[in-house]
Amino acid sequence: MPVSNIWHGDPHTFGRFRMRIRVDVVTDVSRLKWDDVHQPARGVVYGLLEEHDPSLARSLHDEGWGGHPLKPVGVGGPQFKGAPPKRGAYTTSPQGSVWFGSPVPEIAAALVSALARRAEIVWGAARLRIQGFTVEVGGPTPVEGLVELRTATPVILRREGRELLPGDAHYIERLERNLVHKADVLGLPAPRGLRVLEAGPRRRFSVRGAPRVGAQVRVVMEADPRFVDAIRSWGLGLDTVQGFGWVR
């Protein structure tokens, strides 16, 4: 299987706070079911982890990481370059990709190891044949100060059981709180001065029979460069293991 920039050896030799995997895929279906855009992501991630390290998969699922309930895993669901637009349909093309990531070396290594043994990913009703994958390994950049991030999938945030959209009261507060929790998990300084610069349209998906409502966002914040790398491998907001909040 073609792989570039791949790692071999001790998982701790990964760039500590950034590891993203782009898996190139093709599929025979012309479109995905809307319920299959995000719903399968969680099962795919835990299935990969289970193949490599069942105890890691079970511990992450049941307990979270580092004494926190958060799961430091991100997924960008199937995306198809040049897919023909069609109203009401999630169309595909021969140029598909699925992204995975984690700022935790043990989790990242497990994902890479499992993917290296796979010929396909079953994503809902679709079979995605793996053509190869690329591992982006990188330590923190030397640049500090303001950084801009844009998501490829909707960001999910909640307050008192209600899902929030950009512009809603408490949106910034809840997103900041989520980022502070992620910084705590990784032992990194929390970001400051978060602002939303742009927001996409409201999107609604069904996941295990429950609605997920959110929007893609472009944000700016002042952050430690190690934390920026971590978020690029993890995502913004909640339900990142379900494919939400993935950073472009």
Side-chain angles (χ1 to χ4, degrees), residues 181-213:
H181 284 174
K182 288 174 176 173
D184 286 344
V185 171
L186 299 170
L188 293 172
R192 302 171 299 280
L194 176 71
R195 291 183 290 128
V196 175
L197 301 179
E198 184 181 357
R202 174 186 184 273
R203 297 296 186 204
R204 184 184 186 280
F205 294 91
S206 178
V207 176
R208 300 191 301 278
R212 296 291 188 274
V213 179

Side-chain angles (χ1 to χ4, degrees), residues 20 38 70-76 101 103 147-158 164 166 171-172 174-183 186 191-192 194-200 212-223 227-248:
R20 289 160 55 105
H38 284 281
L70 294 180
K71 281 78 170 170
V73 182
V75 190
V147 62
E148 185 177 303
L149 298 174
R150 183 191 296 267
T151 65
T153 59
V155 173
I156 304 298
L157 293 172
R158 301 186 191 92
L164 301 176
Y171 186 90
I172 294 291
R174 300 307 289 188
L175 184 51
E176 283 180 332
R177 181 173 178 175
N178 176 264
L179 291 171
V180 167
H181 284 174
K182 288 174 176 173
L186 299 170
R192 302 171 299 280
L194 176 71
R195 291 183 290 128
V196 175
L197 301 179
E198 184 181 357
R212 296 291 188 274
V213 179
Q216 296 178 29
V217 296
R218 182 166 64 93
V219 302
V220 66
M221 58 185 170
E222 186 176 352
F227 183 70
V228 175
D229 270 347
I231 291 302
R232 290 185 185 279
S233 300
W234 189 344
L236 294 176
L238 305 173
D239 293 348
T240 58
V241 74
Q242 204 74 64
F244 292 102
W246 181 256
V247 176
R248 291 186 185 277

Side-chain angles (χ1 to χ4, degrees), residues 24-159:
D24 298 317
V25 299
V26 295
T27 183
D28 293 334
V29 300
S30 61
R31 68 184 69 183
L32 296 184
K33 297 179 181 178
W34 276 108
D35 283 352
D36 281 353
V37 175
H38 284 281
Q39 186 159 262
R42 180 186 179 93
V44 169
V45 168
Y46 284 114
L48 291 168
L49 295 176
E50 176 79 18
E51 287 179 18
H52 178 78
D53 188 337
S55 62
L56 171 63
R58 184 167 53 253
S59 173
L60 186 66
H61 180 276
D62 295 344
E63 303 169 19
W65 189 262
H68 297 260
L70 294 180
K71 281 78 170 170
V73 182
V75 190
Q79 299 176 34
F80 297 91
K81 186 176 180 180
K86 189 169 185 179
R87 185 176 179 84
Y90 194 91
T91 57
T92 70
S93 79
Q95 300 180 68
S97 62
V98 183
W99 287 86
F100 299 88
S102 176
V104 175
E106 293 87 343
I107 297 173
L111 291 169
V112 171
S113 178
L115 285 165
R117 298 192 297 267
R118 284 287 193 96
E120 67 176 17
I121 298 171
V122 178
W123 195 279
R127 292 185 176 274
L128 309 177
R129 297 192 306 280
I130 296 177
Q131 304 298 292
F133 64 89
T134 302
V135 179
E136 293 183 358
V137 180
T141 63
V143 178
E144 295 197 27
L146 290 176
V147 62
E148 185 177 303
L149 298 174
R150 183 191 296 267
T151 65
T153 59
V155 173
I156 304 298
L157 293 172
R158 301 186 191 92
R159 182 176 185 272

